[in-house]
Every structure is written in structure tokens, then in C-alpha cells.
Amino acid sequence: MRKETKKYYFSVEGETEKWYLQWLQNAINSDPNTQYKVKLDCPIQKDPLKRAKGLIALGKTKITHVLDYESEEPIHVQQFRTALDRMKEAQSNRVGKGITYHLGYTNFTFELWIVLHKADCNGILAHRRQYLAPINRAYKENFENLDQYKHEDNFKRILSKLTLDDVREGIRRAKAIMQKNKEDGLVLKHYKGYSYYKESPSLSIWETIEEILKDCKLLKLED
């Protein structure tokens, strides 16, 4: 029996995020246990407002914007907040498409989420370059720098080592990080209706991934 297709909307800031979501779509659709097929609509678009205005969709639509909280340097903080400004504006009546924007951030970078599929990554890092060593350990690679890791052939080789079980483990580890941040008394920042920790590690991208797996009955509700 042909399975119904559910569509999920994203806007992403880079190629690795897009390649990951394309891999995830294929992994779900290849799983015989999935309740639904999925289509992950994930163009590279750093401006959430442009993404919303260009969207052809009917009715209420949720979009997850995937972005990094790269550091506490003023330029990075401003870039992050500008994205949230645009997400908020995209939800306004002026755009008029019934859009809700969800924050799918990683602090410092998307590499944190990739590492969590294979290993814990709970330490506080001083710079995003420091994700290189955990990536190499987790995936048994020997990349010399993050640019090499992000090369299409190399990154897609990383993806080939993943399974949906790894995604489920990533969600579990991400939840544990956020719970620990709460237990440690870190202050959850609020801006334009969105919440995030300025400290690393922290992330919310897992929330949408979890929702997709649950919708497809590939993740138990109690997990």
C-alpha cells in the first residue's frame, strides 16, 4: 500500500545542513517501519523572511530555521538575533501565510549535532574549531580541518556511516545536554519569543527531528 507523504519545511544556512536533511529524508523513506514517507523541503536561505515570502504553501505552515550560535562575539550575537528578528517578522500578519517559525539552533555549530549521533559531547569548548577532534574520533576519520570535513565527498561519507538508530541516540544525548543545562542553573535567554542558551553546548535542532520521527512512528512517544 502506498504511504502518504508528510512535508516538513526548513531554511538552512549551509550545505552540510542541507545534505544532512536530505540524508535523513532518504533514511526515513527507506525504513520499512515508517508510517509515512517524508519530504524535507530545505533550501539554503539565511534570511527566514525571504524564505517565508517565497514559500508556496496552503494553510498553517511550520518552518524550522537551522542556524549556529557561533560565539559570544558581538558580530555573532548580532547575526543570531537578526535571524530571530526575521523569523518573528515572517510570522507577522503582513506576510499573511499562517507561518510559524521554529528555532533549530546549535551552539556553537551544527557539528555538535553531528557528533551527538555517535558520541557524547558535553564539554564546554572555547572555539568552534574544537569540534574537529570529536568528529574525527566519533567517525574514525582524520580530517585536518573543518573545511576538509565539510567538503561534499567527505561529509557525505560521514552521513553514510549513520543510521536512524544514531539519530535516535543523537536526540537522547541532546535532551540530556539541555536537561543538564537546566539542572546547572544556566539562564535560558528569551528574545522575540524564542529561547536559547548562550553557553555551549546547547541546541534545539533535535526538537524538529524528534517530531518527524514520532510522526512517522519511528520513535516511541515515551522516548
Side-chain angles (χ1 to χ4, degrees):
M1 187 173 66
R2 188 170 182 177
K3 295 177 180 177
E4 178 186 346
T5 297
K6 284 182 172 284
K7 195 168 187 178
Y8 300 87
Y9 297 90
F10 295 82
S11 48
V12 303
E13 296 201 329
E15 291 181 320
T16 54
E17 294 90 336
K18 181 179 179 67
W19 293 331
Y20 171 82
L21 290 171
Q22 290 173 334
W23 169 84
L24 181 64
Q25 173 183 294
N26 292 335
I28 291 172
N29 291 341
S30 299
D31 191 316
N33 297 312
T34 185
Q35 187 76 22
Y36 300 98
K37 297 289 187 179
V38 297
K39 171 62 178 174
L40 307 187
D41 189 314
C42 53
I44 297 174
Q45 176 54 267
K46 293 186 177 183
D47 186 340
L49 184 57
K50 285 185 179 180
R51 167 66 165 140
K53 287 182 174 180
L55 187 66
I56 300 174
L58 299 174
K60 295 181 179 180
T61 303
K62 174 184 170 180
I63 311 175
T64 299
H65 188 53
V66 181
L67 76 166
D68 296 336
Y69 189 97
E70 291 194 51
S71 79
E72 272 293 285
E73 295 176 14
I75 186 172
H76 290 148
V77 173
Q78 185 56 51
Q79 287 172 351
F80 186 80
R81 289 196 165 193
T82 296
L84 300 191
D85 288 337
R86 302 290 275 182
M87 290 164 64
K88 183 69 173 180
E89 190 174 352
Q91 297 184 139
S92 68
N93 291 331
R94 185 172 64 79
V95 177
K97 293 186 178 180
I99 286 171
T100 301
Y101 243 111
H102 180 76
L103 175 60
Y105 83 100
T106 46
N107 183 349
F108 289 130
T109 71
F110 188 68
E111 281 67 61
L112 169 62
W113 173 238
I114 296 299
V115 172
L116 291 177
H117 286 63
K118 292 289 190 181
D120 291 322
C121 191
N122 300 327
I124 298 173
L125 303 182
H127 194 279
R128 53 193 179 277
R129 285 191 303 265
Q130 292 176 303
Y131 285 109
L132 181 63
I135 286 169
N136 280 335
R137 284 195 302 270
Y139 291 90
K140 296 179 174 57
E141 295 284 352
N142 193 30
F143 299 123
E144 295 179 0
N145 51 56
L146 288 178
D147 285 341
Q148 187 182 61
Y149 146 81
K150 290 181 179 181
H151 187 277
E152 182 172 2
D153 290 343
N154 293 334
F155 188 77
K156 288 185 175 179
R157 185 172 71 251
I158 290 286
L159 294 177
S160 73
K161 300 179 182 182
L162 290 176
T163 68
L164 287 180
D165 279 339
D166 293 321
V167 178
R168 288 183 273 263
E169 282 299 294
I171 293 169
R172 181 188 63 77
R173 292 184 178 107
K175 283 183 173 182
I177 284 174
M178 297 301 274
Q179 181 62 31
K180 185 175 187 301
N181 288 346
K182 181 179 180 180
E183 291 171 355
D184 288 348
L186 299 186
V187 177
L188 193 62
K189 299 292 183 181
H190 302 282
Y191 182 78
K192 295 295 178 75
Y194 300 102
S195 302
Y196 61 94
Y197 288 108
K198 69 176 185 178
E199 296 87 359
S200 73
S202 62
L203 67 167
S204 65
I205 185 174
W206 60 272
E207 295 171 349
T208 299
I209 307 302
E210 180 184 51
E211 176 188 327
I212 293 170
L213 293 189
K214 284 183 176 179
D215 287 349
C216 293
K217 304 298 188 286
L218 295 173
L219 190 67
K220 294 179 181 178
L221 293 179
E222 63 267 21
D223 282 354

